[in-house]
Amino acid sequence: MTMQERVGVLVFLACVTLVFVETVLLAFRAVSRPAAARHSLRSLRTRMTLACAVGGVGCMLYGWLVEPYWLEITRTDVVIPGLAKGAQPIRIAQLSDIHCDPELRVEAAVAAALVAEKPDFIVFTGDSINSPGGLANFQALLTQAQQVAPVFAVRGNWDAWYWSGIPLFEGTGVTELVANGQVVTVRGTPLWLAGVAVEHEEDVRTALNAPPDMPVVLLHHYPHPDLVPPDRRVDLMLSGHTHGGQVALPLYGALMTLAKHGKKYESGLYDVAGMKLYVHRGIGMEGGPAPRVRFWARPELAIISLVPSP
């Protein structure tokens, strides 16, 4: 966590704690000194505290019961100079950070949206399940996705750290990229699709050994544009990992991303010295002891259209 993220989280927690303590004191006063409590209700401070407390509870309930189940489809055009002028857009659907649990959340909505969007191919940029109990849900979603369009996948940090011995993609028809690439041709237009799994970063040059003058798309879980060596070219890098913060604030954005660059690449499209980087907000939620909430960072299905220069 970067210093900026630490400060942001501490300020946020301090504000929440202050409202909580003030609310508890008001409740105690209402029980012990009802007349004084009625009088204090006329003060601006008391009204603001109560409004913040009620709003905070509402936000918690929304983040727990609503947003995790509310899929957003985002659409982004990315100019790829290597595409021939007049070429039709190449539509990529990106999935990331599905973090399947035994209970279903938005998996059915994602599958239905893929059918409606009709992408040319689909990519998954890592973090599949929170526990082995979610494997069936994860594999069912990827199997459905594969019936829509070819699916290519790389493993994320959860997949490398906890599920390295589990055949995550077995029986789904998905092509897993570890540290390699291949030509994908869409309506006569070829591009080089490379994938580098977490803990295989040292083999990035092999994955990016693309034919000359062919557009290059790189899949890697972490939003680390510095992964790309100076002697290799990448037009578009697709990543995830940050969950868009999973809990974000209006205007400020993600409270924390758990990425080495912090909030610098928290979600959406970035231009990094000419290379485009798209950071996906993810579909599921962090596993383990982390609370299963999303706020101001809805689950995302990203539709990215590669278009030629005007």
Side-chain angles (χ1 to χ4, degrees), residues 5 72 74 76 94 97 223 237 239-249 252-257 259 261-271 277-282 294-298 300 302:
E5 290 178 316
E72 180 178 8
T74 60
T76 305
Q94 183 187 3
D97 299 87
M237 182 175 181
S239 299
H241 183 66
T242 68
H243 298 199
Q246 194 166 304
V247 173
L249 300 178
Y252 180 76
L255 280 178
M256 60 181 179
T257 64
H261 294 295
K263 289 172 58 62
K264 186 174 183 180
Y265 308 116
E266 62 181 60
S267 66
L269 185 66
Y270 300 88
D271 189 303
L277 167 66
Y278 192 86
V279 184
H280 194 285
R281 289 199 306 264
R294 273 186 176 270
F295 186 83
W296 216 258
R298 286 168 57 188
E300 177 182 21

Side-chain angles (χ1 to χ4, degrees), residues 14-307:
C15 292
V16 171
T17 302
L18 178 62
V19 171
F20 175 77
V21 170
E22 285 273 344
T23 304
V24 170
L25 291 175
L26 287 172
F28 178 77
R29 191 179 304 148
V31 172
S32 60
R33 297 159 54 193
R38 285 194 297 272
H39 177 74
S40 70
L41 283 174
R42 301 192 186 102
S43 74
L44 179 61
R45 175 178 172 178
T46 298
R47 292 179 180 181
M48 288 183 64
T49 298
L50 292 175
C52 288
V54 171
V57 171
C59 288
M60 289 173 59
L61 291 174
Y62 165 80
W64 178 37
L65 299 174
V66 178
E67 191 160 299
Y69 304 90
W70 188 12
L71 181 69
E72 180 178 8
I73 302 173
T74 60
R75 296 178 175 83
T76 305
D77 289 349
V78 177
V79 175
I80 304 296
L83 292 179
K85 288 190 180 297
Q88 294 184 20
I90 297 174
R91 286 166 52 83
I92 304 172
Q94 183 187 3
L95 312 176
S96 194
D97 299 87
I98 300 175
H99 284 281
C100 282
D101 284 308
E103 65 277 6
L104 291 168
R105 282 186 291 263
V106 294
E107 289 86 348
V110 172
L114 287 172
V115 172
E117 292 295 327
K118 299 180 175 63
D120 295 307
F121 62 93
I122 301 165
V123 300
F124 169 65
T125 48
D127 279 8
S128 55
I129 59 177
N130 284 333
S131 70
L135 181 61
N137 291 335
F138 174 72
Q139 291 182 334
L141 174 57
L142 287 197
T143 300
Q144 292 172 296
Q146 178 67 23
Q147 294 169 356
V148 174
V151 181
F152 303 88
V154 294
R155 290 186 179 232
N157 60 301
W158 273 68
D159 308 319
W161 297 348
Y162 307 121
W163 320 123
S164 59
I166 294 181
L168 295 173
F169 308 107
E170 185 176 53
T172 64
V174 169
T175 300
E176 181 180 2
L177 302 173
V178 178
N180 58 296
Q182 67 180 68
V183 176
V184 176
T185 303
V186 178
R187 290 182 292 278
T189 299
L191 59 84
W192 184 259
L193 182 64
V196 176
V198 168
E199 298 190 347
H200 289 269
E201 288 85 353
E202 69 278 3
D203 297 319
V204 64
R205 280 188 170 84
T206 301
L208 293 176
N209 192 23
D213 303 322
M214 187 175 290
V216 177
V217 176
L218 171 62
L219 311 181
H220 184 60
H221 181 66
Y222 295 133
H224 296 171
D226 46 340
L227 173 70
V228 179
D231 60 342
R232 292 291 189 269
R233 176 181 54 81
V234 171
D235 296 286
L236 172 64
M237 182 175 181
L238 299 176
S239 299
H241 183 66
T242 68
H243 298 199
Q246 194 166 304
V247 173
L249 300 178
L251 302 179
Y252 180 76
L255 280 178
M256 60 181 179
T257 64
L258 300 180
K260 74 175 184 179
H261 294 295
K263 289 172 58 62
K264 186 174 183 180
Y265 308 116
E266 62 181 60
S267 66
L269 185 66
Y270 300 88
D271 189 303
V272 186
M275 180 186 77
K276 297 299 190 292
L277 167 66
Y278 192 86
V279 184
H280 194 285
R281 289 199 306 264
I283 291 170
M285 293 172 286
E286 192 78 9
R292 300 295 202 275
V293 295
R294 273 186 176 270
F295 186 83
W296 216 258
R298 286 168 57 188
E300 177 182 21
L301 170 62
I303 303 298
I304 299 165
S305 296
L306 310 185
V307 298

